[in-house]
């Protein structure tokens, strides 16, 4: 089921993959059905995967940008794989069967996508709406949830267990804290600078310096007793 339109040529950079999960009930919807909907909306992903059945539908080659993220984000990276998982963000898909996940991750390995989550595990929904979306983390490449992509206002895929995807030895950053919407930034504290003490000098006086008195001749010595030899 190839897509007639893609997102254009990739621009280069660290290889990465973005895991997405919109509101599709995996008990009633197939991967092929979700793929057909994405094509109608002109938002093709690279893969549509049903973790319960293992069904995988590829809509685009990984060497071309997909259109699921929108804008220029999907063109960043030598590889920017976009995977639509048949599931719901409020019910993380890693809580069920993950049939076929190893084949997908090995496919990503072959394209240089590192098995790491630079932004940490994705937050659960709805806290994920306020997740940090750091450009620095994005630039490193690896695996991301859609809620961790810069400038993207999405809650998916929810609080997934990332080690069920990339393995038990996956290095992950700590779970990020959500930002409070509209919270003002706190004051910036600046450490005091150490100042070198200045030499204290007496204030100049207008009075002339005292003049030395006259020299007097020394008085005659007073004899104390007979001098000894």
């Amino acid at each position: 089921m190839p897509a007639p339109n893609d997102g254009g040529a990739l621009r280069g950079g660290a290889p990465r993959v973005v895991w997405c999960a919109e509101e599709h009930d995996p008990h009633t919807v197939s991967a092929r059905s979700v793929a057909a909907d994405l094509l109608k909306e002109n938002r093709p992903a690279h893969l549509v995967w049903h973790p319960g059945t293992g069904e995988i539908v590829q809509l685009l080659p990984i060497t071309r940008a997909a259109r699921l993220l929108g804008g220029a984000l999907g063109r960043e990276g030598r590889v920017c794989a976009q995977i639509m998982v048949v599931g719901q963000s409020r019910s993380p898909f890693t809580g069920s069967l993950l049939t076929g996940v190893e084949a997908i991750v090995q496919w990503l390995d072959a394209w240089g996508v590192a098995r790491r989550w630079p932004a940490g595990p994705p937050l659960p929904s709805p806290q994920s709406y306020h997740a940090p979306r750091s450009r620095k983390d994005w630039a490193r490449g690896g695996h991301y949830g859609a809620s961790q992509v810069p400038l993207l206002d999405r809650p998916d895929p929810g609080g997934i267990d990332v080690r069920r995807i990339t393995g038990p030895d996956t290095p992950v950053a700590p779970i990020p804290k959500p930002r409070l919407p509209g919270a003002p930034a706190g004051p910036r504290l600046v450490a005091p600078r150490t100042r070198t003490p200045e030499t204290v000098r007496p204030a100049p006086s207008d009075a002339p310096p005292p003049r030395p008195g006259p020299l007097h001749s020394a008085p005659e010595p007073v004899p104390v007793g007979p001098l000894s030899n």
Side-chain angles (χ1 to χ4, degrees):
M1 189 185 290
N5 299 313
D6 58 40
L10 294 163
R11 295 179 174 178
R16 58 178 61 86
V17 58
V18 180
W19 297 86
C20 308
E22 295 183 350
E23 298 307 306
H24 303 119
D25 186 351
H27 298 98
T28 60
V29 179
S30 67
R32 190 172 186 84
S33 174
V34 173
D37 289 342
L38 292 176
L39 290 179
K40 290 177 184 177
E41 298 165 2
N42 199 23
R43 296 191 306 126
H46 288 102
L47 300 181
V48 180
W49 170 49
H50 193 303
T53 65
E55 182 186 14
I56 299 173
V57 179
Q58 183 168 3
L59 299 178
L60 291 169
I62 200 171
T63 52
R64 299 289 293 178
R67 302 175 65 93
L68 196 57
L69 302 182
L73 286 169
R75 298 199 298 272
E76 295 184 9
R78 295 188 298 278
V79 166
C80 186
Q82 300 168 41
I83 300 177
M84 175 61 77
V85 182
V86 180
Q88 298 168 320
S89 58
R90 64 178 180 270
S91 180
F93 65 83
T94 52
S96 62
L97 293 174
L98 297 180
T99 308
V101 67
E102 189 58 35
I104 294 174
V105 174
Q106 288 177 358
W107 177 68
L108 295 169
D109 290 343
W111 287 99
V113 180
R115 294 197 184 198
R116 64 185 177 203
W117 297 76
L123 290 173
S125 180
Q127 292 93 331
S128 51
Y129 277 109
H130 309 298
R133 292 165 168 83
S134 167
R135 268 284 179 186
K136 181 179 179 181
D137 292 337
W138 177 251
R140 293 182 60 194
H143 291 247
Y144 303 86
S147 61
Q148 299 171 322
V149 178
L151 306 177
L152 205 62
D153 187 19
R154 294 177 58 139
D156 51 315
I160 58 175
D161 182 352
V162 297
R163 286 181 169 164
R164 287 206 65 199
I165 298 173
T166 48
D169 298 327
T170 301
V172 294
I175 297 177
K177 295 181 179 179
R179 296 175 300 171
L180 295 177
R188 183 182 179 185
L189 301 180
V190 180
R193 291 182 298 176
T194 304
R195 300 183 62 182
T196 304
E198 298 179 357
T199 304
V200 179
R201 299 180 179 179
S205 174
D206 295 335
R211 299 176 61 186
L215 297 177
H216 299 282
S217 58
E220 292 293 332
V222 178
V224 176
L227 299 176
S228 60
N229 294 331

